[in-house]
Amino acid sequence: MINIKTVSTMDKQDVLTLYNANGWIAYTQNPQALMTAIAHSVNLAAFDGEKLVGLLRYVTDEVSIAFIQDILILPEYQRQGIGRQLMMTAMKRLKNIGQVHLLTENEPKTVGFYTAVGFRNAADANLVTFTMENRY
């Protein structure tokens, strides 16, 4: 059974395994920066027993805005509803926040997931998104 928990710290090797398994090597090239980012985020972690199998990480001011930064599931646990469970848990916690945003790749599978859980393209809300990447 998968358990979702709010955690402030996680085992660094478990985190690196999760990010590497998803090909997110930009994060794992600087493990200390990743662990600092996690320490400064709200983290919803999915566990199968003691094994970290998924993570949703967001930042928020608790009033006007929240930004979902990462959502990852170990590949062997994908397509089992864990990502949806993490997202629904986050959405319940963020229901009174004025705006919830995320930035993701424009891939059909990814777009399909986020629209299925209630997000919409910013352009469809007459909004535009700007970004500046300063990789660490």
Side-chain angles (χ1 to χ4, degrees), residues 71-85:
I71 181 168
L72 306 101
I73 309 297
L74 284 176
E76 62 268 27
Y77 284 83
Q78 291 177 5
R79 311 230 22 104
Q80 297 180 25
I82 299 168
R84 178 178 289 278
Q85 190 178 354

Side-chain angles (χ1 to χ4, degrees), residues 58-127:
Y58 67 89
V59 293
T60 183
D61 65 9
E62 300 290 338
V63 176
S64 62
I65 194 163
F67 193 92
I68 296 174
Q69 180 61 29
D70 301 337
I71 181 168
L72 306 101
I73 309 297
L74 284 176
E76 62 268 27
Y77 284 83
Q78 291 177 5
R79 311 230 22 104
Q80 297 180 25
I82 299 168
R84 178 178 289 278
Q85 190 178 354
L86 284 167
M87 187 61 73
M88 293 299 99
T89 301
M91 292 297 90
K92 284 179 189 172
R93 293 174 180 215
L94 298 170
K95 69 181 180 188
N96 295 319
I97 303 295
Q99 298 177 12
V100 179
H101 299 279
L102 62 90
L103 180 66
T104 191
E105 58 193 14
N106 190 12
E107 296 292 329
K109 178 175 104 173
T110 305
V111 171
F113 172 76
Y114 287 114
T115 55
V117 296
F119 282 85
R120 62 183 174 153
N121 188 312
D124 295 340
N126 200 30
L127 299 170

